[in-house]
Amino acid sequence: MDRILSGLPFIIGTAFELYEFILFVYCLMSFIPSLYGSSFGRFVASLVNPLLDLIRKVIPTTIGFLDFSPIIAIILIQLLQKVIFMII
């Protein structure tokens, strides 16, 4: 049981870092809009859009053509990760 609990922070940290990377890829895809139509782009968007849509409903994050919801999402993910690690 101790081995499982000692590996749990690593697994949780890796999951958070992977999701942050997916958010980063989603942001990079905005430079080539045709990527959103590809199967890879639709897959990435299906992983990221639920969180971004939730943030957009709560906080107005669009200023002109700029959308700050991915930045807010990364900040929230990092805060959530720190809270979880404090609890563990």
Side-chain angles (χ1 to χ4, degrees):
M1 186 69 171
D2 290 334
R3 293 182 73 187
I4 293 173
L5 289 177
S6 65
L8 191 60
F10 174 74
I11 293 170
I12 292 171
T14 303
F16 278 114
E17 288 175 10
L18 179 64
Y19 196 75
E20 287 177 10
F21 179 74
I22 293 170
L23 272 167
F24 181 70
V25 168
Y26 181 80
C27 292
L28 288 178
M29 286 177 19
S30 68
F31 291 108
I32 307 171
S34 62
L35 286 178
Y36 288 121
S38 69
S39 60
F40 175 73
R42 287 191 303 270
F43 175 71
V44 170
S46 70
L47 294 175
V48 172
N49 277 336
L51 176 63
L52 295 182
D53 290 341
L54 180 67
I55 291 172
R56 289 177 188 134
K57 284 181 186 176
V58 175
I59 304 168
T61 58
T62 304
I63 299 173
F65 291 107
L66 297 175
D67 184 16
F68 292 103
S69 58
I71 296 170
I72 295 171
I74 289 174
I75 292 170
L76 289 175
I77 289 170
Q78 290 178 352
L79 288 174
L80 181 64
Q81 183 179 4
K82 288 181 182 185
V83 168
I84 289 174
F85 283 153
M86 286 176 41
I87 292 172
I88 292 178

